[in-house]
Amino acid sequence: MSIEVIYTAESTASGGGRDGHVKSSDNRIDLDTRPPKEAGGSGEGTNPEQLFSAGYAACFLGALQLVARSEKIGLDSASGITARVGFGKDADGGYGINAHLIGYLPGLEQSQAEDLMNKAHQVCPYSKATRGNIDVTLTAKV
């Protein structure tokens, strides 16, 4: 897919990948990375799955708000998205991730909330990038 780039984020990992350091070019991210205890690490830093889940949650909420505005649906200020990103072994003996996106959409009917989640999943850049590559589950809570 070709896009007209309007912004580029740049980060560098050093020192050992999952057991190292990440830093963005603008210094807004400057973190030690450590595998979680569940994966045999110290858990004393962040990990790629946490960073991915934060980005996916923020991006998906933006897509959800865009879809709601286009359909003239007002979202409660308490609306939000939680992204749970799982990490584990895949069937090929390597590693992979999955995602569970939970939309908290108070004040909407269940069917309307589910419809918004599904439509946001079609326009969210993270969802587009991962479509067909990882399992993504959507849950709407009203």
Side-chain angles (χ1 to χ4, degrees):
M1 171 190 348
S2 178
I3 64 168
E4 181 181 330
V5 176
I6 59 172
Y7 170 76
T8 299
E10 180 181 322
S11 296
T12 301
S14 60
R18 288 183 168 275
D19 200 2
H21 195 84
V22 292
K23 186 173 183 178
S24 63
S25 60
D26 63 3
N27 298 318
R28 292 184 184 262
I29 297 174
D30 191 355
L31 303 167
D32 288 333
T33 54
R34 301 290 182 267
K37 288 182 180 183
E38 297 85 350
S42 70
E44 294 179 4
T46 191
N47 60 65
E49 292 72 36
Q50 289 174 325
L51 296 169
F52 186 82
S53 72
Y56 204 166
C59 189
F60 198 89
L61 180 57
L64 187 73
Q65 291 169 334
L66 176 74
V67 170
R69 274 193 309 275
S70 73
E71 297 196 5
K72 298 183 180 17
I73 298 170
L75 294 179
D76 188 284
S77 62
S79 295
I81 297 292
T82 296
R84 294 180 181 157
V85 174
F87 168 79
K89 293 189 177 187
D90 63 20
D92 298 327
Y95 293 92
I97 62 171
N98 64 18
H100 182 188
L101 303 175
I102 305 157
Y104 299 94
L105 303 165
L108 299 182
E109 296 293 324
Q110 184 67 35
S111 62
Q112 186 179 43
E114 291 170 1
D115 186 55
L116 283 177
M117 291 283 292
N118 286 320
K119 288 177 178 175
H121 192 45
Q122 296 307 307
V123 301
C124 172
Y126 274 63
S127 292
K128 286 181 178 182
T130 60
R131 192 171 333 293
N133 296 308
I134 69 169
D135 290 333
V136 178
T137 304
L138 304 177
T139 300
K141 296 189 176 193
V142 294

